Amino acid sequence: MLDKIESIKSEALNASSGISDGDSLEQFRIKFLGRKGTIHELFEGFKDVKPDEKGKVGKALNELKVLLQKIYDDKKSEYEKTGGADDEADITLPGRTFNKGTRHLIHQAIAEITGIFSKIGFDIYEGPEIEDEFHNFDALNTPEYHPSRDMQDTFYVDSKGKDKRYLLRTHTSPGQVHVMENSKPPIRVIVPGKVYRNEEVSARSLAVFHQIEGLYVDKGVNFRELKGTLDHYAWEFFGKGLKTRLRPSFFPFTEPSAEMDVECILCKGDGCRVCKHTGWLEILGCGMVDPNVFQSVGYDPDEYTGFAFGIGIERTLMVKYGIPDIRIFYENDIRFLKQF
Ligand code: PHE
């Protein structure tokens, strides 16, 4: 028995130098200290030891047990100190994935559309969201009494003690006025931004949404250029060769005015629920700048002509992706957002 104890002792000392990680440490424990391990076995055999040897053997056995336990404890604390977790990491496991954020769909669209226009020479201007009545209405040929002011229900800002009446811009068109007030033709500019209307929130309208205004002023700008520019935009944004049409319309600040439709992306013009069986989807308002607008910014309408257009971003995206409800843009539902 004493010989056996001695050989186990050297075996354990040997094995201890091979402990290099959590696994080998655990194997050591199981082999020597475990419930079916060597120490347990030796203690089991202790009852068969001759009575006169019991004292010696018992002492050696206890010493062995203490030694093995100490080897185990020392190795364990050494291993824990060196950050054992590393050794336990299973590098074959797939990594943890993190949800990556993306730009919101509306901002992606603004970037894409401004990109399309800047490639053909348009600058970008961002005007204020709080405007006075002159920039939002009067300079755009929409005086107080003009019935078209009712077209856009306005949020007025408390202007007590101010010289003018202020409001949240109802469209990006006042951007046209700012640009013309501050520069001389030729002007090619687009104005992206938020606009506000006192409208009831529904599947089709919100009180806050986004527009991109466009303005081109120079000598001899004509309607054909308006159509060419907008076709270029529509084909870049919605797809090459898509049919477009200009439909006569009315805006106080353009004359003549039109709205542009594209062939329904879903049914390709055959007629479906999305295009209300017309085969067409409206994407923007446009027209030739009204001479009265030029006059209010001090341009000579006999010298300059120009065109302007206003693109509704949410509306445009609804058309492009067949999104049925405008409210979904602002619900921040990740299942919606991560599709773009
Ligand atoms: N401002 C118009 C609107 O909000 C759109 C528009 C802009 C129309 C420029 C013509 C020219 O509906």
Side-chain angles (χ1 to χ4, degrees):
M1 187 88 174
L2 284 172
D3 289 347
K4 201 171 175 193
I5 291 173
E6 207 46 45
S7 86
I8 288 171
K9 187 174 165 185
S10 57
E11 192 193 338
L13 285 169
N14 259 340
S16 77
S17 60
I19 297 175
S20 57
D21 56 16
D23 276 349
S24 45
L25 181 65
E26 182 61 3
Q27 270 161 25
F28 181 91
R29 190 190 65 76
I30 292 169
K31 180 161 190 225
F32 295 103
L33 298 160
R35 293 208 314 136
K36 291 179 183 155
T38 318
I39 289 289
H40 181 74
E41 235 171 63
L42 288 172
F43 273 96
E44 287 281 282
F46 185 67
K47 60 180 184 303
D48 302 328
V49 172
K50 284 190 215 111
D52 59 334
E53 284 184 8
K54 275 205 152 102
K56 249 189 175 172
V57 171
K59 189 166 176 260
L61 203 51
N62 268 324
E63 277 168 10
L64 179 66
K65 187 185 172 191
V66 169
L67 174 73
L68 295 186
Q69 189 64 50
K70 185 169 163 17
I71 292 175
Y72 175 77
D73 290 345
D74 286 354
K75 286 282 175 187
K76 188 171 181 224
S77 65
E78 195 178 297
Y79 161 72
E80 279 168 356
K81 235 184 272 157
T82 58
D86 276 347
D87 289 333
E88 277 194 340
D90 180 352
I91 58 165
T92 64
L93 285 174
R96 278 193 207 111
T97 53
F98 294 92
N99 282 331
K100 232 196 260 163
T102 51
R103 239 177 177 183
H104 191 276
L105 175 58
I106 289 175
H107 287 274
Q108 286 182 40
I110 291 175
E112 188 178 346
I113 296 170
T114 51
I116 291 170
F117 283 103
S118 64
K119 275 192 202 137
I120 53 170
F122 282 76
D123 293 329
I124 299 170
Y125 167 80
E126 284 181 284
E129 289 175 22
I130 296 179
E131 285 286 3
D132 54 37
E133 285 182 298
F134 175 77
H135 288 86
N136 196 81
F137 289 125
D138 300 72
L140 291 164
N141 198 30
T142 318
E144 177 89 62
Y145 57 81
H146 200 290
S148 75
R149 277 209 189 187
D150 299 340
M151 276 166 70
Q152 301 171 357
D153 291 310
T154 309
F155 285 118
Y156 283 90
V157 174
D158 184 358
S159 313
K160 254 186 238 124
K162 299 264 163 35
D163 50 338
K164 291 183 238 173
R165 205 141 74 115
Y166 290 90
L167 48 85
L168 296 177
R169 66 177 173 197
T170 58
H171 49 180
T172 43
S173 301
Q176 294 184 35
V177 182
H178 286 291
V179 171
M180 288 192 280
E181 278 175 334
N182 294 310
S183 47
K184 288 262 149 292
I187 286 171
R188 274 186 234 94
V189 74
I190 52 168
V191 187
K194 279 197 191 81
V195 301
Y196 302 83
R197 290 186 195 173
N198 191 359
E199 281 192 53
E200 204 162 319
V201 171
S202 73
R204 293 180 57 81
S205 59
L206 290 174
V208 186
F209 56 101
H210 294 76
Q211 288 188 333
I212 293 188
E213 192 80 8
L215 175 70
Y216 181 22
V217 182
D218 202 350
K219 287 178 181 155
V221 175
N222 59 42
F223 199 91
R224 200 174 54 218
E225 286 164 294
L226 168 63
K227 185 167 185 342
T229 305
L230 293 180
D231 275 348
H232 171 76
Y233 154 68
W235 292 338
E236 288 289 304
F237 190 76
F238 292 100
K240 287 255 152 12
L242 213 66
K243 274 190 210 135
T244 62
R245 73 175 182 189
L246 287 172
R247 206 169 10 82
S249 185
F250 171 79
F251 299 100
F253 33 90
T254 45
E255 182 60 35
S257 302
E259 279 170 313
M260 189 176 207
D261 297 339
V262 289
E263 189 183 10
C264 177
I265 312 241
L266 284 184
C267 65
K268 296 276 174 282
D270 292 343
C272 68
R273 204 177 45 87
V274 171
C275 60
K276 299 211 183 79
H277 303 284
T278 61
W280 296 98
L281 292 164
E282 184 218 314
I283 56 164
L284 55 86
C286 61
M288 300 306 292
V289 178
D290 193 291
N292 287 344
V293 175
F294 284 144
Q295 242 144 20
S296 62
V297 295
Y299 284 9
D300 178 358
D302 291 330
E303 192 178 357
Y304 295 114
T305 52
F307 65 70
F309 54 87
I311 301 170
I313 302 297
E314 285 83 350
R315 161 126 209 107
T316 295
L317 288 168
M318 289 168 84
V319 166
K320 182 165 178 176
Y321 297 114
I323 296 166
D325 189 320
I326 194 169
R327 291 169 289 198
I328 202 166
F329 288 106
Y330 297 93
E331 278 165 5
N332 283 333
D333 185 332
I334 201 123
R335 291 166 301 179
F336 170 72
L337 295 176
K338 73 181 184 190
Q339 294 176 53
F340 303 98

